Amino acid sequence: MKFVTYDAGQGPRVGLLEGESVLDVGFEGDMVAFIEAGAPIARRQPVGGARLLAPLRPRSLRDFLAFEGHLKNAMSRLGRPIAPEWYSVPAYYKGLPETVIGPDEEIPWPAYTERLDHELELAAIIGRRGKDIPKEEAMHYIFGYTIWNDVSARDVQTRELPVNMGPGKAKDWDGSNVLGPCIVTADEIDPSNLRMVVRVNGEIWGEDNSGHMHHTFADMIAYASQAQTLYPGEVFGSGTAAGGSGLELDRWLREGDVVELEIEGIGVLRNRIGKKQRGA
């Protein structure tokens, strides 16, 4: 199933996506509450004029670095080696749920960066509460998958990386994390074999397959849940697929560009880049 959050003039509601049609499921609450309640479908009522929003406001955002190909490409551009520890530690940083926007929303371009970049990622949504989760059981804790565009200010990232506390403002501003267009339930797709493509203004800039992830979602969940409870509605990002960012190609976004991230079985996450904001 493909679940969405939509607005048809009455505020955000949980829906079911069937083809191009949105069906209201009759749930009085947001997507996180819906997942926590076990995804109860009380009805399938067609909705007219539905606008898709970000599928959920995550409880938390954890972003990993699972693709060796991306890391090799990106680190060479940033002038840094891959740490040997990366191969054994599925490390992550935490993003801000309040920065999340959804499909077809304009991505803001903050005044403090000259180099805005997209990042093509597969994201898993936690569906069950758990702590100290064994790797062999970890996939059973995933409710579903969505697409994550982890937008980055690359010039700022270059300045922050040497401090070894990043990323900070390279990742954090209103609208810097884009999720959507839907959540596909875990029983419908194989996260180890999904074609991933990024297009800018209709031109393919990069493509990869989720099977190239060095760290799996099971690795991530087992690692993050050590001595810490995970809750329904938390989001785990794969990190950028190889070729999934402009940094790797030395190609940079411009005002008005249309970025489309597509992952097999999920759909297309499409957004336009806004005009660069003026400084205060």
Side-chain angles (χ1 to χ4, degrees):
M1 294 184 178
K2 293 183 176 181
F3 290 109
V4 296
T5 296
Y6 74 91
D7 188 352
Q10 303 298 319
R13 290 191 56 85
V14 176
L16 186 63
L17 190 64
E18 291 189 353
E20 299 296 319
S21 300
V22 173
L23 310 178
D24 189 87
V25 299
F27 184 79
E28 300 301 326
D30 66 9
M31 183 64 76
V32 172
F34 180 72
I35 294 170
E36 195 163 26
I41 299 176
R43 66 187 182 199
R44 296 171 182 248
Q45 180 178 325
V47 178
R51 177 174 63 92
L52 297 188
L53 308 176
L56 79 169
R57 172 62 61 86
R59 263 196 165 119
S60 71
L61 287 165
R62 287 180 176 85
D63 207 7
F64 294 76
L65 277 169
F67 289 89
E68 183 184 27
H70 166 72
L71 203 57
K72 285 181 175 179
N73 296 337
M75 288 305 187
S76 65
R77 293 282 183 184
L78 294 169
R80 293 169 64 92
I82 298 177
E85 292 82 0
W86 175 82
Y87 290 92
S88 59
V89 178
Y92 61 89
Y93 76 89
K94 293 180 180 178
L96 300 174
E98 294 78 9
T99 65
V100 170
I101 60 174
D104 295 313
E105 291 191 61
E106 185 174 89
I107 296 175
W109 188 320
Y112 61 78
T113 179
E114 299 295 328
R115 289 196 163 182
L116 201 64
D117 199 7
H118 58 274
E119 296 196 48
L120 168 62
E121 304 195 20
L122 176 64
I125 296 95
I126 299 299
R128 296 169 49 196
R129 182 182 299 198
K131 180 178 179 179
D132 294 318
I133 300 168
K135 179 180 174 181
E136 58 271 18
E137 297 178 13
M139 298 302 285
H140 298 299
Y141 285 78
I142 296 176
F143 174 76
Y145 300 90
T146 192
I147 304 171
W148 184 352
N149 187 352
D150 169 33
V151 188
S152 299
R154 294 299 190 188
D155 45 355
V156 178
Q157 186 178 34
T158 300
R159 295 195 296 272
E160 288 181 337
L161 277 174
V163 181
N164 290 320
M165 283 191 67
K169 289 308 292 180
K171 301 282 188 176
D172 291 345
W173 67 90
D174 293 342
S176 60
N177 290 289
V178 193
L179 298 177
C182 62
I183 298 171
V184 179
T185 51
D187 60 324
E188 292 217 349
I189 57 175
D190 177 3
S192 68
N193 184 26
L194 299 174
R195 182 171 180 256
M196 306 172 68
V197 183
V198 56
R199 293 182 294 271
V200 178
N201 301 325
E203 178 189 355
I204 292 179
W205 277 27
E207 44 189 324
D208 199 0
N209 188 288
S210 61
H212 297 151
M213 292 169 62
H214 176 78
H215 300 295
T216 66
F217 284 113
D219 295 328
M220 301 173 200
I221 291 169
Y223 185 74
S225 70
Q226 294 177 93
Q228 184 174 17
T229 304
L230 303 184
Y231 294 91
E234 299 197 50
V235 171
F236 283 46
S238 66
T240 312
S245 66
L247 170 66
E248 300 170 65
L249 311 172
D250 196 26
R251 299 184 71 175
W252 303 101
L253 297 175
R254 297 170 297 179
E255 296 176 349
D257 281 350
V258 175
V259 179
E260 295 177 305
L261 307 185
E262 182 172 2
I263 298 181
E264 180 182 359
I266 301 177
V268 178
L269 178 60
R270 181 183 299 106
N271 298 88
R272 184 179 299 275
I273 304 299
K275 290 186 177 180
K276 184 181 176 184
Q277 300 166 1
R278 295 183 178 183

